[in-house]
Amino acid sequence: MHKAQRLVQLIMLVNERRTFTVQELADECGVSRRTMIRDLAELSELGIPLYSEVGANGGYRVLREKVLPPISFTEHEAMALFFACQSLQNYKSLPFNNEVQGALRKFFHYLSSDLKRKIEHMQQRLTFWIPPHQLDVPYLKEILEAALEQKIIEIRYEASTAQKRRIQPLGLYTMNGLWYCQAYCFSAADYRVFRVDRISGVQCEVDQSQKVDLDEENIQEWIMRKDEETPLELEVILTPDGVRRCQSDVWLSSFMLVNEDGSGRIQAQMSTSYIPWVVSFFLGLGTDAHVTHPPQIRDQIRTRLQAMSAQYAD
């Protein structure tokens, strides 16, 4: 086996294993112990993060940041990678923003001149428009890691008042340029959605004994998960302008019935956790929307209108 082939095989071997010894790898690759020591030294020079431990139970292990072996790509596969990354360009915050840019620079460097020009032309002529928010999302990566490892974390959440919440994140999703975290909230003893830009602090070292068992079957449909409580029946009458404005919201437009004259009606089931958003949204539509049900939303709209009337009474 040529040395280059052996090094590629070695990268694959050390990535698969938690720990290993020089002799184990030497036997598997069919080389001497001295040759294997030289090969491991070359891997370290290439950037493979190897860590050695001495003693009777010593050996080598790869640190958390593993390096992948060489992979071949077709031109269309390379274009597809840059196409996918192009969809993220308007996000101010990403969980692995620096890593994404670093990986693209490495990848782009080794492409042919023709393929580089194709990718540059695609980037100039293709845009995924996301509303440009300037909100900082400093704890996006930490929350994603907690979701991946299924850990309980304590967050400081800036809503109407600052609150500390202990949550177990299920996952992250983005909508209209904002990041949201679906999580089990131990304060509410139920599932809740949190705006990630409103999280101003994260503490990861907390008691894990109350962790909820969220196996793969339970977590498959975590996004926009419905509460277990009885949903509310939302009914709204819309003017033609109200219809047009509601059509810009994906969720509302999926429940909209439009009449021949352009007016319409929304009939949908909703969780109680969405009440604050629904109240604010239809208040913004003014007389172009008339919420007829449920009473909870009508009451909150009425209360908000009275407070606004008093605010502008002078």
Side-chain angles (χ1 to χ4, degrees), residues 3 9 14 18 216 225-226 280 292:
K3 181 179 178 180
Q9 180 188 11
V14 299
R18 185 178 296 273
E216 292 300 320
R225 186 184 184 120
K226 293 181 179 178
S280 296
T292 59

Side-chain angles (χ1 to χ4, degrees), residues 110-262:
Y110 292 101
L111 299 178
S112 67
S113 297
D114 287 344
L115 186 52
K116 285 180 179 178
R117 281 194 293 271
K118 284 183 181 179
I119 290 173
E120 287 172 345
H121 290 164
M122 178 187 70
Q123 291 173 331
Q124 293 167 0
R125 292 165 172 78
L126 175 68
T127 296
F128 293 84
W129 178 247
I130 302 295
H133 292 284
Q134 295 304 312
L135 299 169
D136 289 324
V137 192
Y139 298 103
L140 193 60
K141 190 171 183 177
E142 289 83 350
I143 293 171
L144 177 59
E145 288 177 351
L148 293 174
E149 298 173 10
Q150 279 303 281
K151 285 187 175 180
I152 300 173
I153 58 175
E154 183 177 272
I155 63 172
R156 181 178 176 83
Y157 194 65
E158 306 289 343
S160 54
T161 58
Q163 303 172 345
K164 285 189 175 181
R165 301 270 192 117
R166 291 174 67 253
I167 66 171
Q168 184 176 333
L170 280 78
L172 291 168
Y173 65 90
T174 178
M175 186 169 62
N176 296 329
L178 296 173
W179 286 96
Y180 296 86
C181 172
Q182 183 90 38
Y184 184 83
C185 177
F186 291 90
S187 302
D190 204 349
Y191 293 95
R192 290 290 185 269
V193 176
F194 299 91
R195 277 260 302 268
V196 182
D197 59 277
R198 293 179 179 171
I199 296 176
S200 59
V202 172
Q203 182 180 340
C204 299
E205 300 299 326
V206 297
D207 181 16
Q208 301 292 318
S209 61
Q210 295 182 341
K211 187 159 57 174
V212 179
D213 183 18
L214 297 173
D215 57 28
E216 292 300 320
E217 182 178 350
N218 292 332
I219 210 170
Q220 282 179 353
E221 297 181 357
W222 63 268
I223 189 167
M224 303 296 284
R225 186 184 184 120
K226 293 181 179 178
D227 295 340
E228 294 181 359
E229 63 190 26
T230 304
L232 297 175
E233 296 289 338
L234 175 66
E235 294 180 5
V236 187
I237 298 173
L238 302 168
T239 66
D241 280 343
V243 167
R244 284 189 286 272
R245 294 170 71 179
C246 287
Q247 284 172 335
S248 63
D249 185 274
V250 176
W251 180 69
L252 290 175
S253 62
S254 64
F255 298 104
M256 190 184 305
L257 302 173
V258 182
N259 303 320
E260 290 185 3
D261 63 355

Side-chain angles (χ1 to χ4, degrees), residues 90-103:
N90 287 320
Y91 283 92
K92 181 181 179 182
S93 300
L94 294 169
F96 304 104
N97 192 44
N98 293 334
E99 291 85 351
V100 168
Q101 297 305 318

Side-chain angles (χ1 to χ4, degrees), residues 4-167:
Q5 293 174 309
R6 191 172 70 247
L7 289 178
V8 170
Q9 180 188 11
L10 194 55
I11 292 174
M12 298 174 70
L13 286 174
V14 299
N15 269 298
E16 290 172 357
R17 301 180 181 184
R18 185 178 296 273
T19 59
F20 52 87
T21 66
V22 172
Q23 193 60 54
E24 287 172 351
L25 294 181
D27 293 342
E28 192 152 351
C29 293
V31 298
S32 68
R33 180 183 175 86
R34 176 179 291 184
T35 299
M36 182 52 61
I37 291 174
R38 286 200 302 267
D39 287 350
L40 289 173
E42 289 199 36
L43 289 191
S44 293
E45 291 175 3
L46 290 171
I48 309 296
L50 297 175
Y51 175 77
S52 61
E53 297 174 322
V54 299
N57 298 316
Y60 283 84
R61 64 185 176 91
V62 181
L63 298 180
R64 187 175 182 182
E65 290 290 333
K66 297 185 178 181
V67 177
L68 296 175
I71 304 172
S72 298
F73 291 91
T74 66
E75 283 198 358
H76 284 168
E77 288 171 340
M79 291 280 288
L81 287 176
F82 282 87
F83 177 87
C85 292
Q86 185 79 352
S87 68
L88 304 174
Q89 67 175 346
N90 287 320
Y91 283 92
K92 181 181 179 182
S93 300
L94 294 169
F96 304 104
N97 192 44
N98 293 334
E99 291 85 351
V100 168
Q101 297 305 318
L104 287 180
R105 282 194 297 271
K106 290 180 184 178
F107 195 55
F108 192 79
H109 176 75
Y110 292 101
L111 299 178
S112 67
S113 297
D114 287 344
L115 186 52
K116 285 180 179 178
R117 281 194 293 271
K118 284 183 181 179
I119 290 173
E120 287 172 345
H121 290 164
M122 178 187 70
Q123 291 173 331
Q124 293 167 0
R125 292 165 172 78
L126 175 68
T127 296
F128 293 84
W129 178 247
I130 302 295
H133 292 284
Q134 295 304 312
L135 299 169
D136 289 324
V137 192
Y139 298 103
L140 193 60
K141 190 171 183 177
E142 289 83 350
I143 293 171
L144 177 59
E145 288 177 351
L148 293 174
E149 298 173 10
Q150 279 303 281
K151 285 187 175 180
I152 300 173
I153 58 175
E154 183 177 272
I155 63 172
R156 181 178 176 83
Y157 194 65
E158 306 289 343
S160 54
T161 58
Q163 303 172 345
K164 285 189 175 181
R165 301 270 192 117
R166 291 174 67 253
I167 66 171

